[in-house]
């Protein structure tokens, strides 16, 4: 596999109607207690960077002065986190590190994503390592890599109107999304399936996917995607004729969900 990593990221849709101070306390403790991901700066907009202060963050959340919290760590690895404590259907918890993040610590990122998931209880979430790729695809392998990477970044403007775009290296299912797919159905997926201690299901493309051969990783991804497509819940991809972008449209089941909610 090409080891030129461009980004490690996780994005999760937390369960709604949670106690924001309780969740914030747990989340901040998680970062503060981690030497690698310890926060140094924070802000309540993406333009503001102040010296990290747990007390000020909690004060602004408690008084309703802020709902979006940004934290930043080591500049070299470009650690950043963005957490929306308004807990509505558009809220996301996300975190990323840049290409300078040491390869030996890649598993640490996925372990931290599990801890974030345990705290925020996402209805859907994806953690993924993005490899460097060309802006356009020239063959089927590159096309599938673009598709996988696009699916592994389920930002709000893509996820809400279209539903789950697909899998990343780790993919979390809980709440109504888990109900849509069905626990028994997901448990039979042709990949590593883990029932987490808080009730969710995590699909891993393979054991230690960050160490995998790219061809094997993409082959596994397609195999699991073909299986999940049987549920008619995944977003339907639309590929550009110029081989430079992928869009999506909702499945019948997601379209029905949108009409009823």
């Amino acid at each position: 596999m090409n080891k030129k990593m461009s980004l490690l990221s996780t994005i999760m849709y937390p369960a709604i109607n949670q106690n924001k101070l309780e969740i914030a306390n747990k989340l901040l403790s998680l970062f503060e207690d981690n030497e690698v991901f310890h926060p140094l700066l924070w802000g309540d907009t993406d333009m503001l960077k102040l010296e990290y202060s747990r007390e000020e963050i909690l004060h602004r959340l408690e008084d309703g002065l802020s709902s979006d919290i940004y934290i930043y760590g080591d500049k070299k690895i470009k650690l950043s986190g963005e957490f929306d404590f308004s807990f509505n259907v558009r809220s996301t918890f996300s975190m990323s590190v840049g290409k300078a993040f040491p390869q030996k610590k890649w598993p640490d990122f996925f372990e931290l994503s599990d801890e974030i998931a345990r705290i925020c209880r996402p209805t859907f979430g994806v953690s993924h390592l993005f490899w460097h790729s060309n802006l356009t695809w020239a063959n089927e392998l590159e096309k599938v890599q673009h598709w996988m990477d696009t699916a592994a970044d389920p930002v709000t403007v893509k996820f809400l109107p279209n539903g789950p775009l697909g899998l990343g290296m780790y993919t979390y299912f809980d709440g109504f999304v888990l109900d849509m797919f069905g626990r028994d159905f997901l448990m039979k997926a042709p990949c590593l399936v883990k029932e987490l201690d808080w009730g969710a299901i995590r699909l891993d493309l393979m054991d230690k996917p960050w160490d995998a051969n790219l061809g094997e990783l993409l082959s596994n991804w397609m195999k699991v995607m073909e299986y999940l497509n049987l549920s008619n819940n995944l977003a339907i991809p639309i590929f550009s004729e110029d081989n430079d972008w992928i869009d999506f449209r909702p499945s019948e089941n997601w379209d029905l969900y949108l009409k009823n909610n």
Side-chain angles (χ1 to χ4, degrees):
M1 175 182 277
N2 180 355
K3 293 298 183 182
K4 291 184 178 179
M5 186 267 279
S6 61
L7 185 71
L8 254 172
S9 81
T10 185
I11 180 169
M12 303 183 184
Y13 287 83
I16 62 175
N17 299 325
Q18 298 194 75
N19 184 307
K20 61 183 177 182
L21 290 182
E22 178 184 350
I23 300 302
N25 266 304
K26 292 180 179 179
L27 186 70
L28 296 179
S29 292
L30 176 65
F31 280 87
E32 290 171 10
D33 294 342
N34 192 303
E35 181 179 354
V36 177
F37 302 103
H38 190 84
L40 301 176
L41 303 171
W42 83 283
D44 55 8
T45 73
D46 58 0
M47 301 296 291
L48 183 66
K49 291 185 179 181
L50 305 170
E51 183 178 354
Y52 178 76
S53 170
R54 179 193 188 100
E55 293 75 17
E56 183 61 21
I57 291 173
L58 295 176
H59 164 68
R60 294 190 68 83
L61 287 174
E62 185 175 19
D63 288 359
L65 301 173
S66 305
S67 59
D68 292 333
I69 299 298
Y70 299 78
I71 61 172
Y72 307 92
D74 190 312
K75 289 183 179 180
K76 181 179 179 181
I77 63 174
K78 295 184 178 179
L79 168 65
S80 65
E82 179 181 349
F83 309 99
D84 180 357
F85 289 97
S86 59
F87 292 124
N88 57 51
V89 294
R90 303 185 64 84
S91 299
T92 59
F93 278 23
S94 63
M95 179 186 69
S96 67
V97 293
K99 59 185 178 181
F101 190 66
Q103 182 175 347
K104 66 181 180 181
K105 294 188 180 297
W106 290 351
D108 295 346
F109 184 92
F110 287 87
E111 288 180 11
L112 185 66
S113 78
D114 268 355
E115 294 302 317
I116 294 173
R118 181 178 284 107
I119 292 170
C120 77
R121 306 294 175 94
T123 54
F124 185 73
V126 179
S127 295
H128 191 69
L129 191 156
F130 294 83
W131 303 106
H132 174 76
S133 62
N134 298 323
L135 295 177
T136 61
W137 59 84
N139 53 52
E140 190 65 20
L141 189 70
E142 292 181 358
K143 178 182 178 180
V144 174
Q145 183 181 359
H146 274 259
W147 184 9
M148 178 178 69
D149 286 350
T150 306
D153 187 27
V155 293
T156 304
V157 294
K158 293 287 188 181
F159 175 75
L160 289 183
N162 300 299
L165 309 181
L167 299 166
M169 290 183 173
Y170 279 10
T171 309
Y172 302 87
F173 299 81
D174 196 24
F176 78 94
V177 178
L178 174 56
D179 291 341
M180 288 181 72
F181 282 90
R183 182 175 294 273
D184 290 343
F185 177 80
L186 289 177
M187 290 298 296
K188 296 175 183 176
C191 60
L192 288 180
V193 182
K194 299 194 175 182
E195 288 190 280
L196 303 178
D197 58 12
W198 44 278
I201 286 179
R202 193 187 80 203
L203 300 187
D204 302 0
L205 288 181
M206 56 199 310
D207 186 36
K208 299 179 181 178
W210 48 86
D211 286 337
N213 171 275
L214 179 57
E216 185 181 9
L217 186 75
L218 294 177
S219 176
N220 281 17
W221 187 81
M222 281 300 301
K223 180 172 63 176
V224 185
M225 287 288 288
E226 288 171 1
Y227 175 78
L228 293 185
N229 267 321
L230 297 175
S231 71
N232 198 27
N233 291 314
L234 289 183
I236 300 167
I238 303 168
F239 302 96
S240 73
E241 295 182 358
D242 295 328
N243 297 355
D244 59 357
W245 56 261
I246 302 171
D247 204 355
F248 297 89
R249 62 181 176 86
S251 67
E252 291 182 9
N253 285 350
W254 193 262
D255 204 29
L256 183 63
Y257 164 78
L258 293 176
K259 291 176 181 178
N260 292 331
N261 291 275

